[in-house]
Amino acid sequence: MPASEKTLEDLFRDRFGGGRDLLEATVPARSEIAGNHTDHEGGDVIGGALDVQVHAVCALNGTNMVRIESLGYQPFKIDLGNLTPQESERESTASLARGMASELVASGREPLGFDLLMESSIPSGSGLSSSAAVELAFGRAMEGLWEGEPLDAVTLAKMAQRTENNFFGKPCGLLDQLAEALGGLAHMSFANPETPATEKLALDFEDYGYALVLVNVGSDHSALTNEYAAVPNEMKQVAAAFGKERLCEVDPAAFDERVNELRRDLGDRPVLRALHYWYENDIVAQRWEALKGGDIDAFLALTRASGASSAMYLQNVSVGGAPEQPAMVALGLAQRLLEGTGACRIHGGGFGGSIQAFVPVERVERFIAGMDGWLGKGASRHYRIVSEGAGYQWL
C-alpha cells in the first residue's frame, strides 16, 4: 500500500510494530472568537473549536520511555524517571510531553512507557493553538493508557496550561487549552481561576449568512515569545500597582484616578493595555448576548470594535519599531475585499500569526482568492465550528 494511502494506525505499526492495543486521541484547534488577552487577567472569552486537529495513535511499550514521532518532524524520547522541567527542552514539543506526564503522575497515575505517532492538520504558526492541541493530545493519551479517574475538560486544560507555563516557558492564559478541551462554541469566564465558568452554544455562523475565515499572514510568531509575554506582564504591572494580581481585581474608577501616576511609573503602554482589557471584556459579554439572541449584525459591529481595540490599545498587531507589519497589511487588504460587510480582527495572541474574518457566504470564494493572491496560495481557509473537544478512544 502506498504510504499516502496508509492510515495513521498503519503508519504507527510500520514505525513501532504491531500486536498491541491502540488508543486514539484527537484534539481540535481553536479560534478565539472574542476576548483578546482577557483570560489571563480573569476576564471573559469566547472560543470556538475548529474542524482541523491533532490526531495521535499510541500504545504501551513495556519500558520506562516515551517515544514520540510527529509526521514530518524529528522523533524524540523522554525518560519517565525524570519529569522535571529541562532547560534544553524549552519551547519544544518534548517539553510538552514531559510536562503533561508530570501533571498526570501528580494526579495519582503510575507512568508507563508508550509509543505515540501523531499528525496535525492545524497550520503551524498561524495562531490556532497547535501547541495547546498537542498538550491535550498527550494528556488524553496518558489518561487512557495510565489507570486513573477520568479527567474533566477544566482539569485537563489546567494541566496543559501549567505545562506550557512551567515546561515550555510561555506565560499563556487558559483560553486555548479550555476551548479545545470543551469543543463547540463556548463562553468562558476566568474570574475564579480554579473553577472557570463555562457555557456552550450550538450555533453555526453560516445559518446567519457568514463564514469564518482565518488567514495566515505569513509571519512565524514562534520567535516572538518575549513580545507575547510582555502583554500579560504589563497588565499585571498595572494590577500590582493596586496590590492585586490581575486586572479583574482592580476597580476601573480607582485606575482612572491614578492614570497620570501609572503613566509616570510604568509608561504608556501598560496603561493602554489595561484600558484594552476593560473595554474588550465588556465587548465579550455583549458579543455573547448577541450570539445567544441571534443578532449577527450586533455581533459583527462588536467584532470590528474589538479589532480596533487590539490594534490601538493592546498593540499586538505589529511589533513596535519593526518595519514589517504583516498582520496589519493583511487586515487592510481584508477590509478592501469585504467592502464594508462582515468584520475582521487580529486573531489569538497577535504579533503575526493569523487574522480572523467573518465573510458573507456569497463572498467567501472571492475573499479567499483575493487574500491568497496577495499572501500566497493556501494562506486563507474557510473553517467550521465542531462540537467535540479533546477526547480519546480505544481502537
Side-chain angles (χ1 to χ4, degrees):
M1 179 186 297
S4 60
E5 297 179 8
K6 291 186 176 182
T7 66
L8 195 63
E9 299 97 291
D10 294 329
L11 294 172
F12 178 91
R13 295 184 183 97
D14 289 346
R15 284 162 168 76
F16 297 111
R20 291 176 283 169
D21 293 334
L22 298 182
L23 181 142
E24 174 187 62
T26 55
V27 184
R30 74 94 183 95
S31 176
E32 172 207 274
I33 303 299
N36 199 220
H37 282 280
T38 50
D39 56 328
H40 47 71
E41 298 309 302
D44 289 13
V45 298
I46 302 170
L50 302 177
D51 55 348
V52 288
Q53 65 179 5
V54 166
H55 177 206
V57 173
C58 56
L60 294 173
N61 61 22
T63 75
N64 197 44
M65 300 294 294
V66 174
R67 301 187 298 179
I68 294 176
E69 183 174 344
S70 180
L71 297 182
Y73 296 89
Q74 288 296 315
F76 63 88
K77 301 177 182 179
I78 64 168
D79 184 344
L80 291 172
N82 181 2
L83 297 180
T84 59
Q86 304 295 302
E87 187 62 34
S88 62
E89 290 178 350
R90 300 282 276 190
E91 299 188 24
S92 74
T93 306
S95 72
L96 304 182
R98 195 180 301 273
M100 290 305 291
S102 175
E103 289 288 339
L104 269 291
V105 169
S107 75
R109 284 173 160 79
E110 178 185 356
L112 301 171
F114 62 90
D115 301 323
L116 183 145
L117 179 66
M118 63 181 176
E119 61 182 351
S120 175
S121 57
I122 304 172
S124 178
S126 59
L128 304 188
S129 298
S130 57
S131 61
V134 170
E135 293 157 11
L136 295 170
F138 290 157
R140 285 300 190 210
M142 295 171 193
E143 175 189 7
L145 294 171
W146 300 349
E147 185 175 349
E149 294 297 316
L151 301 174
D152 62 76
V154 173
T155 299
L156 181 67
K158 289 167 67 176
M159 289 177 167
Q161 181 197 22
R162 288 192 293 268
T163 289
E164 192 143 352
N165 293 169
N166 302 325
F167 284 75
F168 188 85
K170 183 177 180 180
C172 65
L174 191 57
L175 162 61
D176 299 346
Q177 291 83 359
L178 188 53
E180 294 178 350
L182 286 168
L185 195 65
H187 175 225
M188 296 161 276
S189 178
F190 297 103
N192 184 339
E194 294 304 312
T195 55
T198 65
E199 180 184 9
K200 293 182 69 172
L201 177 65
L203 181 143
D204 188 336
F205 289 107
E206 298 192 22
D207 289 342
Y208 295 89
Y210 289 88
L212 172 62
V213 177
L214 299 176
V215 182
N216 187 331
V217 306
S219 173
D220 182 5
H221 66 253
S222 63
L224 298 172
T225 298
N226 290 338
E227 284 77 9
Y228 176 94
V231 175
N233 289 344
E234 290 182 5
M235 288 183 174
K236 292 182 189 304
Q237 287 175 17
V238 175
F242 295 86
K244 307 296 183 181
E245 293 186 3
R246 300 177 300 163
L247 286 176
C248 70
E249 303 163 6
V250 176
D251 181 355
F255 169 86
D256 291 346
E257 292 177 358
R258 294 178 57 184
V259 164
N260 291 336
E261 172 194 339
L262 294 168
R263 291 181 66 191
R264 182 190 68 234
D265 294 345
L266 303 178
D268 282 349
R269 195 170 71 176
V271 170
L272 284 167
R273 286 175 165 168
L275 288 168
H276 164 82
Y277 166 76
W278 283 301
Y279 183 65
E280 175 78 348
N281 207 45
D282 287 344
I283 287 177
V284 174
Q286 295 174 56
R287 292 174 78 190
W288 186 245
E289 290 304 312
L291 289 175
K292 288 169 65 174
D295 189 345
I296 195 68
D297 291 335
F299 170 81
L300 293 171
L302 292 163
T303 298
R304 292 189 287 270
S306 169
S309 182
S310 290
M312 293 189 297
Y313 308 140
L314 186 62
Q315 298 183 28
N316 69 334
V317 175
S318 301
V319 178
E324 296 80 15
Q325 299 187 47
M328 190 66 83
V329 171
L331 287 168
L333 296 173
Q335 287 188 345
R336 283 176 63 85
L337 292 172
L338 289 172
E339 297 180 314
T341 64
C344 61
R345 65 194 277 270
I346 192 67
H347 182 255
F351 305 113
S354 62
I355 65 168
Q356 176 190 75
F358 292 93
V359 183
V361 170
E362 66 275 10
R363 287 177 173 260
V364 168
E365 290 186 7
R366 281 179 291 161
F367 181 86
I368 289 176
M371 295 302 292
D372 283 6
W374 284 313
L375 301 178
K377 185 175 182 179
S380 309
R381 177 160 176 169
H382 175 191
Y383 291 91
R384 303 294 289 265
I385 303 294
V386 295
S387 61
E388 295 300 318
Y392 74 89
Q393 63 177 353
W394 289 97
L395 298 174

